[in-house]
Amino acid sequence: MSNEKIPYKIYLEESEMPKTWYNLRADMKDKPAPLLNPATGKPMTAEELSVVFCDELVKQELDNDTRYYDIPQEILDFYKMYRPSPLVRAYCLEKKLGTPAKIYYKFEGNNTSGSHKLNSAIAQAYYAKSQGLKGVTTETGAGQWGTALSMACAYLGLDCKVYMVKCSYEQKPFRREVMRVYGASVTPSPSMETAVGRKILEEHPGTTGSLGCAISEAVEKATTTEGYRYVLGSVLNQVMLHQSVIGLESKAAMDKYGVKPDIIIGCAGGGSNLGGLIAPFMGEKLRGEADYQIIAVEPASCPSFTRGTYAYDYCDTGMVCPLAKMYTLGSGFIPSASHAGGLRYHGMSPVLSKLYHDGYMEAVSVKQTEVFAAAEEFARVEGILPAPESSHAIKVAIDEALKCKETGEEKTILFGLTGTGYFDMYAYESFHDGKMDDYIPTDEEIAQNITKLPKVD
Amino acid sequence: MSNEKIPYKIYLEESEMPKTWYNLRADMKDKPAPLLNPATGKPMTAEELSVVFCDELVKQELDNDTRYYDIPQEILDFYKMYRPSPLVRAYCLEKKLGTPAKIYYKFEGNNTSGSHKLNSAIAQAYYAKSQGLKGVTTETGAGQWGTALSMACAYLGLDCKVYMVKCSYEQKPFRREVMRVYGASVTPSPSMETAVGRKILEEHPGTTGSLGCAISEAVEKATTTEGYRYVLGSVLNQVMLHQSVIGLESKAAMDKYGVKPDIIIGCAGGGSNLGGLIAPFMGEKLRGEADYQIIAVEPASCPSFTRGTYAYDYCDTGMVCPLAKMYTLGSGFIPSASHAGGLRYHGMSPVLSKLYHDGYMEAVSVKQTEVFAAAEEFARVEGILPAPESSHAIKVAIDEALKCKETGEEKTILFGLTGTGYFDMYAYESFHDGKMDDYIPTDEEIAQNITKLPKVD
């Protein structure tokens, strides 16, 4: 079919929506390394994991073999409320850049959580409910994941306890209020509700909290409260599985119009969006059926792929979670106060780490001010105000399109537009006022944390 | 076609999108009363209006006869970036309510301006550009309209000067920053940029501004600056014309599935959404081809339809604009600080006022806390966090659906979900914290302003 006929936005019909999630690990000849128990140094068993996660999710977490998982009907019904998400042809951006490249983006921001996080939130909440649990606990920084989980729990009638980093709770009250609309209890962390919270408050009375501390509180609450489990919005294998719906829809929409991407670009924090977007394309690449250039984009302030080490490390700064083999900057690495909160993670999905290590994908890091300049350029021609996280992918998509302008190549570019920036206006204000910095960690800072990796193997 | 097959969301194909706007006035046997020049008491001429508005918009404003206007290609292309908007079947809300009613809503919030305002913003900006103008001026309160206009101007490369009520500029910086992303100049009003602004600042040095003052500044700037005109987001006939795209899409989507609404519900401030949503349905009603129950919903704090007077009045509190015959609470009426900023207008579209006066539609007023309770109920089952304005329609749609539950009637309800509430979280917070009041003006307060109507006829 001629590209002339491609609409601005491709929406699949409900009947064309994916009915299964795709487990990329099934097509990996070399599997990602297993999670290790930090106490024993041995692979985590299902039994050990089931104290923290609900049973079906433990199964998904450990399953390297099953290629497809049927999406339960109740999740499919929930997906229909905000999916299919549109695959957008960026005609206006192409025109503005004067590029022969054809640019597409999969827009995951048209839902109240404002991002793709909802895809896994509903799945995790559903399995918790199916197991007869009363509720789930989680942590949230800026609030995207907490919001998504609150929405999913409200829909299913499940209790939702969110530990929100105290400084965000106080300085960014809006997402906190969105969570309250959906009936979640939102507790500023550290709190007096948990032993670990009380301990931290005693030792550091004036602390404004950290994500590591909020994780510790959420895990403690889940493991000490009858009928609760802990859930997490990124990094985990199960999250990659649920997020494959992004890539499956993208591929179905492109196949429908006979379009094949040459380059696929996604921002990468813990890897949930990138892993989901690339899943079916990477599957073809692993099976030798097709080739794609795949680019992960990370902030220069938190460059786990481009400057980190591939090794076992703690997933949390509190060192209570299992060890994962991944590209890491060290669990003690504290990135500068970048505005892309969703990309401020010291590690990376073990699945993506393995694929990157084995040469199946590339990674680049970009500076914050470049990212916001790209975001603004995009917003003015494509209408959508992008999230800072998503704008990392925009920046590199524009760079690649401009390379095509130089060479005359008509490459097809697909990138993931993970969300909207409506709750990030302080960041845009800082950019407009010229107050945004581009801090990049020194080699010494990075080396310093890497020396503290746990000893395993 | 059986209702069983109706998808959660109906998206028209691009080829099915309306190519024309529908001018409801053409089907009104009794036309709305003309705008009057406040100085002469005579109908405003095209020449008089063209000092303030650009020429094509003046023509549209005065044209009671042309039934359809072709939508220019450049506007159609812009529409394709965020339209068609989905017509959503509220399966989850129906289930929650246990009603046999079938509920549909036309969701206009899936764009960065967050509301339907963009439909007219792009049209007004386009005609300004076509006339060779350099830019447009406008006022904004909470910022929805200013945001929409900024987006449209950025797309067309037109300058955009927004006068934003000073207290909103300072207390609600987020929409201001969105406007800056789109390159608009945003000036807190009153300002030193205009004579009227300087006068007000001299007389009231500490004033935080008002919409009336911001209108006066925007009009002065437009009429005293070479190459500029003033634009307005509601009330005017031209705005109703552009917004007819909402109703035309809704009707096309319903026709496609053989669905006919029994009740159509919309919130009403100046009338831009309601007028647009009902346009083609009201046209059928006026031509005697079909019957629909049409309900305007307004806040009890600003009840122009339900407690106002049908008379000529000033459109602005500064009394510089033409007189319009409409349901009004008096241009001096100051509604209490309701959180539905978009519905705090003392008057109502002259077109809708005439139709209401002639018995073609009904109106109800609802209290703010009831509205937020309905908003929250809706958000939890349908996912979308609605704007306070839109939630007025939700409240009445739920009421009508519950009436059907009582009677067993399977009525089909269509309502307009005009926008999202992402920038209204302070209002939700106030609701959650039990701090929201339900102030309703007394009969004396209303009578007091009505005595000050201008003398005409």
Side-chain angles (χ1 to χ4, degrees), chain A residues 215-242:
Chain A
I215 292 178
S216 304
E217 288 205 84
V219 171
E220 178 185 322
K221 189 76 180 179
T223 52
T224 59
T225 310
E226 179 70 27
Y228 282 75
R229 290 295 184 283
Y230 169 72
V231 296
L232 181 65
S234 192
V235 184
L236 296 174
N237 298 339
Q238 59 189 265
V239 176
M240 304 295 134
L241 175 69
H242 307 147

Side-chain angles (χ1 to χ4, degrees), chain B residues 145-225:
Chain B
W145 168 246
T147 306
L149 189 67
S150 303
M151 290 175 67
C153 288
Y155 180 80
L156 295 170
L158 203 63
D159 186 41
C160 180
K161 293 187 193 301
V162 180
Y163 291 86
M164 186 171 190
V165 178
K166 190 181 276 178
C167 64
S168 294
Y169 182 94
E170 288 167 357
Q171 290 167 15
K172 298 182 176 178
F174 298 113
R175 279 223 177 81
R176 177 190 81 207
E177 287 306 318
V178 179
M179 290 184 259
R180 286 176 79 193
V181 168
Y182 289 95
S185 78
V186 187
T187 306
S189 168
S191 76
M192 295 298 284
E193 284 185 9
T194 64
V196 64
R198 288 189 292 272
K199 183 162 177 287
I200 291 168
L201 283 172
E202 200 173 302
E203 289 169 6
H204 310 277
T207 181
T208 57
S210 71
L211 205 56
C213 168
I215 293 178
S216 303
E217 288 205 84
V219 171
E220 179 185 321
K221 190 75 180 181
T223 53
T224 58
T225 311

Side-chain angles (χ1 to χ4, degrees), chain B residues 8-254:
Chain B
Y8 278 63
K9 300 187 297 304
I10 305 174
Y11 282 105
L12 296 176
E13 302 286 328
E14 274 182 14
S15 58
E16 297 168 324
M17 286 172 65
K19 306 282 185 302
T20 57
W21 292 306
Y22 166 58
N23 183 8
L24 181 56
R25 286 166 287 161
D27 280 314
M28 292 170 71
K29 263 179 245 164
D30 298 317
K31 308 294 181 189
L35 296 173
L36 298 185
N37 183 323
T40 65
K42 289 185 183 163
M44 292 289 290
T45 64
E47 200 182 347
E48 287 168 339
L49 284 171
S50 69
V51 178
V52 179
F53 301 117
C54 68
D55 299 345
E56 177 62 26
L57 292 170
V58 169
K59 186 182 154 221
Q60 293 177 5
E61 189 64 29
L62 298 175
D63 183 353
N64 284 339
D65 303 308
T66 308
R67 184 168 276 113
Y68 293 103
Y69 271 83
D70 285 339
I71 305 175
Q73 187 60 44
E74 199 155 358
I75 299 177
L76 285 175
D77 287 344
F78 186 86
Y79 277 172
K80 283 178 197 165
M81 292 205 305
Y82 72 102
R83 308 198 67 82
S85 70
L87 179 73
V88 186
R89 174 72 184 270
Y91 284 116
C92 301
L93 181 61
E94 290 171 18
K95 191 175 161 194
K96 169 85 190 318
L97 298 174
T99 177
K102 294 169 179 61
I103 308 175
Y104 293 82
Y105 54 91
K106 181 68 169 170
F107 179 41
E108 292 286 317
N110 264 355
N111 69 75
T112 288
S113 81
S115 82
H116 65 292
K117 295 279 180 183
L118 200 50
N119 301 329
S120 184
I122 184 62
Q124 296 190 49
Y126 170 81
Y127 290 117
K129 178 141 196 229
S130 302
Q131 194 173 320
L133 298 176
K134 290 181 203 156
V136 290
T137 72
T138 200
E139 78 290 334
T140 201
Q144 286 101 326
W145 168 246
T147 306
L149 189 67
S150 303
M151 290 175 67
C153 288
Y155 180 80
L156 295 170
L158 203 63
D159 186 41
C160 180
K161 293 187 193 301
V162 180
Y163 291 86
M164 186 171 190
V165 178
K166 190 181 276 178
C167 64
S168 294
Y169 182 94
E170 288 167 357
Q171 290 167 15
K172 298 182 176 178
F174 298 113
R175 279 223 177 81
R176 177 190 81 207
E177 287 306 318
V178 179
M179 290 184 259
R180 286 176 79 193
V181 168
Y182 289 95
S185 78
V186 187
T187 306
S189 168
S191 76
M192 295 298 284
E193 284 185 9
T194 64
V196 64
R198 288 189 292 272
K199 183 162 177 287
I200 291 168
L201 283 172
E202 200 173 302
E203 289 169 6
H204 310 277
T207 181
T208 57
S210 71
L211 205 56
C213 168
I215 293 178
S216 303
E217 288 205 84
V219 171
E220 179 185 321
K221 190 75 180 181
T223 53
T224 58
T225 311
E226 181 70 27
Y228 281 76
R229 291 293 185 282
Y230 169 73
V231 296
L232 181 65
S234 191
V235 184
L236 296 173
N237 298 339
Q238 59 190 266
V239 177
M240 304 294 135
L241 176 69
H242 308 146
Q243 294 294 359
S244 69
V245 71
I246 304 172
L248 292 166
E249 273 188 12
S250 301
K251 192 159 188 314
M254 292 190 122

Side-chain angles (χ1 to χ4, degrees), chain A residues 158-430:
Chain A
L158 203 63
D159 187 42
C160 180
K161 294 187 191 303
V162 181
Y163 290 86
M164 186 169 188
V165 178
K166 191 181 274 178
C167 64
S168 294
Y169 182 93
E170 287 167 358
Q171 290 167 16
K172 298 183 175 177
F174 298 113
R175 280 222 177 81
R176 178 191 81 207
E177 287 306 317
V178 178
M179 289 184 258
R180 286 177 78 193
V181 168
Y182 289 96
S185 79
V186 187
T187 305
S189 168
S191 76
M192 295 298 284
E193 285 185 9
T194 64
V196 64
R198 287 188 293 272
K199 182 161 179 286
I200 291 168
L201 283 172
E202 200 173 300
E203 289 169 6
H204 311 277
T207 181
T208 55
S210 72
L211 206 55
C213 168
I215 292 178
S216 304
E217 288 205 84
V219 171
E220 178 185 322
K221 189 76 180 179
T223 52
T224 59
T225 310
E226 179 70 27
Y228 282 75
R229 290 295 184 283
Y230 169 72
V231 296
L232 181 65
S234 192
V235 184
L236 296 174
N237 298 339
Q238 59 189 265
V239 176
M240 304 295 134
L241 175 69
H242 307 147
Q243 294 295 359
S244 69
V245 70
I246 303 172
L248 293 167
E249 274 187 12
S250 301
K251 189 156 190 315
M254 293 190 121
D255 285 349
K256 195 170 167 178
Y257 286 89
V259 177
K260 189 178 161 302
D262 299 296
I263 309 176
I264 305 170
I265 301 166
C267 61
S272 68
N273 158 67
L274 180 67
L277 175 68
I278 66 174
F281 302 100
M282 182 62 87
E284 288 189 337
K285 189 165 177 169
L286 289 170
R287 297 191 302 269
E289 297 165 8
D291 196 19
Y292 303 98
Q293 184 184 4
I294 295 173
I295 308 174
V297 190
E298 54 186 19
S301 59
C302 192
S304 39
F305 267 146
T306 50
R307 297 176 67 196
T309 300
Y310 186 51
Y312 268 105
D313 196 7
Y314 294 97
C315 291
D316 60 321
T317 47
M319 303 184 185
V320 299
C321 293
L323 304 177
K325 189 165 183 183
M326 57 185 178
Y327 278 85
T328 179
L329 296 162
S331 66
F333 178 81
I334 298 178
S336 69
S338 144
H339 290 289
L343 305 182
R344 294 180 73 224
Y345 184 65
H346 69 277
M348 183 59 69
S349 145
V351 174
L352 295 184
S353 291
K354 176 69 178 159
L355 292 166
Y356 179 64
H357 188 68
D358 290 350
Y360 288 103
M361 50 190 279
E362 305 163 25
V364 296
S365 72
V366 290
K367 285 190 282 188
Q368 179 161 244
T369 53
E370 298 172 334
V371 165
F372 276 83
E376 197 156 280
E377 181 170 20
F378 178 84
R380 290 185 185 187
V381 291
E382 288 290 319
I384 298 165
L385 182 85
E389 291 84 357
S390 324
S391 304
H392 286 68
I394 294 174
K395 162 66 182 154
V396 174
I398 290 176
D399 287 348
E400 291 295 328
L402 290 176
K403 280 186 207 164
C404 289
K405 188 177 177 178
E406 290 288 317
T407 62
E409 288 174 289
E410 293 185 25
K411 286 188 180 171
T412 297
I413 298 169
L414 166 64
F415 73 89
L417 189 71
T418 53
T420 49
Y422 306 145
F423 292 100
D424 299 289
M425 297 318 299
Y426 281 132
Y428 277 96
E429 183 176 16
S430 161

